[in-house]
Amino acid sequence: MNAITDITKDIQAQIIDAFNFRHATKVFDADRKIDERTFATILEAARLSPTSFGHEPFKILMIQSQDKRELFREFSWGANGMMSGTTGQLGTASHFGIILASTGKTMTAGSDYLQDHYRDVKHLPDEVIEIFNGAYGKFQTSDHGITTDRQITDWSGKQAYIVLANMMTAGALLGIDSCPIEGFDMERTTQTLQDHFQIDGTAWKPAVMFAFGYRAKDPEFPKTRRSMDDTVSWF
């Protein structure tokens, strides 16, 4: 029992250490690259992440070509000096990508896409698919009022953030730095994805960008958060 307790305490310490280690890295060491196996683990954490109803309303677009990354520079935060943002990350991150969120075209209850997903991915029998259609339809219309394309896309974006959070946590546990990036022009990013990456802008919208690599220097300021008492209420 003591051995198990010691292992549990060690794991607990590793988790807290990882969260204290992680920070929003603005500039990475461009000479250090994440090895293929390590980043494959981070991507597997993304693939195995939970999503509402198990619908997996996201897609990950990895952008390793520097020429392709440069397509986003003009309309990503940092290019005009407001913040360091992707100006530093586009050029220095070992791995850079965008998580795309599904729109109402595929995530509306009863869509052909979801029927295929239930059959081909979840391997559900027809009678269970009918149950899913009814439950998800009720969730969208009655429970949450998620019926417009914008509302459905925003809901998909929430799932994308779960995915990115798990990627960043996995990275921190492996000693990999990361940064989520929301600062970008939505319309121009969508158009660039359509023009240069063959992404159907009616089916997918950019939810969040991300960068992974190794920090060029340690954070200038210590991590600050609200106290536990201000963060959590028990009843």
Side-chain angles (χ1 to χ4, degrees):
M1 181 65 71
N2 288 336
I4 295 176
T5 301
D6 289 342
I7 292 173
T8 300
K9 289 181 179 178
D10 185 54
I11 293 173
Q12 291 169 344
Q14 289 178 37
I15 292 171
I16 299 303
D17 286 346
F19 275 92
N20 279 314
F21 164 82
R22 201 214 71 79
H23 75 290
T25 305
K26 300 300 190 297
V27 180
F28 296 88
D29 183 344
D31 294 327
R32 295 189 67 188
K33 304 300 180 184
I34 304 169
D35 69 82
E36 184 176 338
R37 182 178 179 183
T38 298
F39 199 75
T41 300
I42 293 173
L43 288 178
E44 186 67 356
R47 190 181 72 87
L48 295 175
S49 292
T51 56
S52 185
F53 285 87
H55 282 171
E56 303 176 50
F58 71 94
K59 184 189 294 287
I60 299 174
L61 188 67
M62 294 304 307
I63 307 173
Q64 293 303 88
S65 163
Q66 194 59 48
D67 289 342
K68 292 288 189 182
R69 291 185 186 184
E70 289 298 319
L71 294 170
F72 300 94
R73 185 176 293 280
E74 287 187 12
F75 44 88
S76 297
W77 279 24
N80 58 10
M82 284 194 302
M83 296 179 68
S84 55
T86 51
T87 294
Q89 292 148 343
L90 282 170
T92 63
S94 170
H95 289 67
F96 183 86
I98 301 176
I99 303 184
L100 309 176
S102 300
T103 67
K105 184 175 183 178
T106 57
M107 284 299 136
T108 297
S111 71
D112 291 340
Y113 178 93
L114 285 177
Q115 306 317 297
D116 291 339
H117 181 77
Y118 294 148
R119 267 190 301 270
D120 301 336
V121 178
K122 298 180 77 66
H123 307 296
L124 299 177
D126 289 342
E127 59 271 21
V128 177
I129 290 175
E130 286 304 310
I131 294 173
F132 261 77
N133 284 330
Y136 182 52
K138 179 178 181 296
F139 170 81
Q140 281 194 322
T141 57
S142 301
D143 293 344
H144 282 258
I146 305 172
T147 56
T148 68
D149 185 68
R150 173 60 187 270
Q151 289 169 336
I152 293 172
T153 303
D154 287 347
W155 170 83
S156 296
K158 292 179 181 179
Q159 315 311 308
Y161 274 70
I162 295 173
V163 172
L164 182 55
N166 286 335
M167 291 176 69
M168 292 191 297
T169 298
L173 287 165
L174 294 166
I176 306 297
D177 290 297
S178 61
C179 188
I181 304 163
E182 290 185 300
F184 57 88
D185 184 299
M186 179 66 70
E187 184 176 343
R188 294 182 69 183
T189 300
T190 301
Q191 191 64 51
T192 298
L193 291 172
Q194 188 163 296
D195 293 345
H196 297 277
F197 298 85
Q198 292 74 54
I199 300 298
D200 181 358
T202 66
W204 300 98
K205 297 292 185 185
V208 62
M209 297 178 177
F210 61 81
F212 283 80
Y214 295 95
R215 65 189 68 181
K217 61 179 182 178
D218 288 332
E220 294 183 30
F221 306 101
K223 186 185 292 288
T224 59
R225 294 292 189 273
R226 290 176 295 160
S227 70
M228 185 64 76
D229 287 342
D230 285 340
T231 303
V232 180
S233 297
W234 291 81
F235 297 93

